Each structure stands twice: as structure tokens, then as C-alpha cells.
Amino acid sequence: LLLPLLQRCIQLLLLPIHLLSCLGIWDVIYKRVFPYVMAKVAPAFNQKVYRLKQELFSTLRDFTGPSGQLKLLEIGTGTGTNFQFYPAGCRLTCIDPNPNFSKFLLKSLSENRHVKLERSLVASGEDLSQIQDGSVDVVVGTLVLCSVSSCNGVLREVLRVLRLGGAFYFLEHVAADRSSRTYFWQKLCDPLWKYLGDGCCLSRETQEELEKMNFSELNLRRIRVAPFWTLTSPHIVGYAVK
């Protein structure tokens, strides 16, 4: 009974922001500010998971298609912090719903000239209609599925655009064990986190969503990212093959 009561209290405190959101004012302001926040936060996170990302993306070349060039689609590209881990010469398409990331994206591309950008599109992960069926070797999404409106919708689109035998690479913070204190605090802070994290949900069960999808192979492990006391410490990392 304590959790719902505390959640209601937080929702009351967030009422001014909620009203601004309903009027469309909060989103306009926040979407301009959020890229600057991520430009500061993302490099720090990258340092913490550098070796993990190196290991994760080391097998990207294994999914190169018949063309001989890896066709890679990244959803929720943000500031482009993953570019440094991509193999040289890969043909990259970037998708992000926030056009205000563009200048940070260009900066990252200038620092990673081994990557060849083919297209940069403004779209949500739930609507990849600008990408043809079965036209992509690899889809990458890191810290994306926590903030989309429909995790299932995104994964269905990922399966659609991947060629047979292609792979979806992911690194996501997820809900903690339901019996843990971390999970209690995740559920309590979710209403606030949603506004501060651009729709991010601390307690999303992303592993269950991946397991329900029609992937032929799912390679997934659960980890904790330091510092371990933070609400975003529980993560899943791996790749799924179509």
C-alpha cells in the first residue's frame, strides 16, 4: 500500500509539469535541452561500459550480407556515441525522433571518419516505414527501448527491416528483481524519471519483450553497471538473430 500512496504524492508534485506536457510546452522545451544533457552524460556512460561495448560490437562483421558491406541501422542514435565501435566502411543509417541531435551527430561523424553515413532520418523506432523490408544486416539500439512508447512495436519493426539471418544488438537498463529495494525505488521514481529522461521507464521488462518476439536466436545476459546503487544499474546486453 505504501508504494501507490507515495506514487500519488509524486504525481501531485509533478502536476505543473504534467500540465505543461499536456499543452505541448514541456516537450518543445525539453527536446531542445535534452541533446545538450546527453552530450555531457553519454561520454561518461561510454567510459563505464567501454570494454563491454567493444566486446558486444566485435562480432558485427559476422553479419555482413551478400553485398560485402555491412548495412547497419541505428535507432535512437542520439549523439552518436556508438560510432567508434562500428567496423570501418559500414554503411550507416541513423534514426532519432529528436531533430535537435543533428549538430552533435555531425560532430561525432567528424570524429569517426571510418563510418560512412548514408542517411539520417527523423523518425521513431515504432515507425521505420522509410526503411525497406529485409534491407538491413544489423540494427543497433542502446538505451532506447526504455523510452519508446511501445517496445513491442519497435521490435516488430526491427524484425521487419532485418534481412533473414541479420541481428539486433542491444544494451538496455531494465527493471530490477521485483523483490529488491531497487525495484521499489524504480517504481516510485518512474513518474518523475519519465519527464526528466525523455519518456524513459526505469521498471521496463525489456527482456520479456525480447523473449516474446520471433527471433531464431537470442543471446542475452543480465549485468549491473557501476555504481551498483543507482536505479539504472540493472542492464541486459546481447544480440538477437532473425
Side-chain angles (χ1 to χ4, degrees):
L1 295 176
L2 178 62
L3 180 58
L5 177 61
L6 292 174
Q7 283 179 323
R8 291 293 184 187
C9 292
I10 290 177
Q11 287 169 354
L12 285 173
L13 292 173
L14 291 174
L15 188 57
I17 296 178
H18 180 67
L19 291 173
L20 289 174
S21 180
C22 290
L23 293 171
I25 298 172
W26 177 260
D27 287 348
V28 171
I29 297 172
Y30 192 77
K31 285 190 179 298
R32 291 180 180 177
V33 173
F34 189 61
Y36 290 91
V37 175
M38 290 307 296
K40 297 292 185 182
V41 173
F45 178 78
N46 241 19
Q47 285 185 341
K48 289 193 292 184
V49 297
Y50 186 83
R51 290 185 180 179
L52 181 65
K53 282 190 175 183
Q54 271 190 321
E55 179 187 351
L56 174 65
F57 294 131
S58 65
T59 57
L60 283 174
R61 284 190 185 276
D62 296 346
F63 293 97
T64 302
S67 69
Q69 284 187 304
L70 182 70
K71 298 178 181 178
L72 191 153
L73 167 67
E74 182 171 356
I75 54 175
T77 307
T79 59
T81 55
N82 289 329
F83 294 170
Q84 61 186 295
F85 303 103
Y86 294 160
C90 70
R91 297 165 58 185
L92 177 64
T93 298
C94 297
I95 286 186
D96 199 286
N98 189 343
N100 297 300
F101 273 112
S102 59
K103 78 171 188 177
F104 299 101
L105 182 68
L106 291 172
K107 180 177 183 294
S108 186
L109 285 168
S110 70
E111 296 169 350
N112 295 277
R113 296 188 180 277
H114 66 285
V115 175
K116 183 191 295 182
L117 179 68
E118 288 205 330
R119 287 193 292 173
S120 180
L121 306 172
V122 178
S124 67
E126 295 90 338
D127 180 14
L128 304 179
S129 57
Q130 299 179 75
I131 309 297
Q132 294 182 348
D133 296 6
S135 62
V136 177
D137 297 318
V138 170
V139 177
V140 172
T142 58
L143 304 183
V144 173
L145 296 179
C146 58
S147 58
V148 297
S149 58
S150 172
C151 189
N152 179 269
V154 173
L155 293 176
R156 280 191 281 107
E157 280 288 80
V158 166
L159 275 169
R160 181 184 65 77
V161 302
L162 276 174
R163 65 168 177 82
L164 189 63
F168 172 52
Y169 281 71
F170 55 86
L171 171 63
E172 300 285 341
H173 72 79
V174 294
D177 184 275
R178 294 194 176 195
S179 62
S180 66
R181 291 182 180 178
T182 302
Y183 184 75
F184 173 88
W185 285 105
Q186 284 179 333
K187 295 297 290 184
L188 179 61
C189 295
D190 257 341
L192 173 62
W193 202 266
K194 176 184 176 182
Y195 288 114
L196 299 183
D198 200 25
C200 178
C201 177
L202 288 166
S203 59
R204 181 157 287 175
E205 304 280 358
T206 307
Q207 179 174 342
E208 292 183 6
E209 295 291 341
L210 282 162
E211 290 170 346
K212 289 188 293 186
M213 300 307 296
N214 192 29
F215 287 106
S216 65
E217 179 185 341
L218 178 60
N219 299 277
L220 178 151
R221 60 191 175 107
R222 294 183 69 94
I223 60 170
R224 292 184 70 87
V225 174
F228 302 128
W229 53 266
T230 59
L231 300 182
T232 57
S233 177
H235 278 64
I236 57 171
V237 59
Y239 65 92
V241 181
K242 178 176 177 178

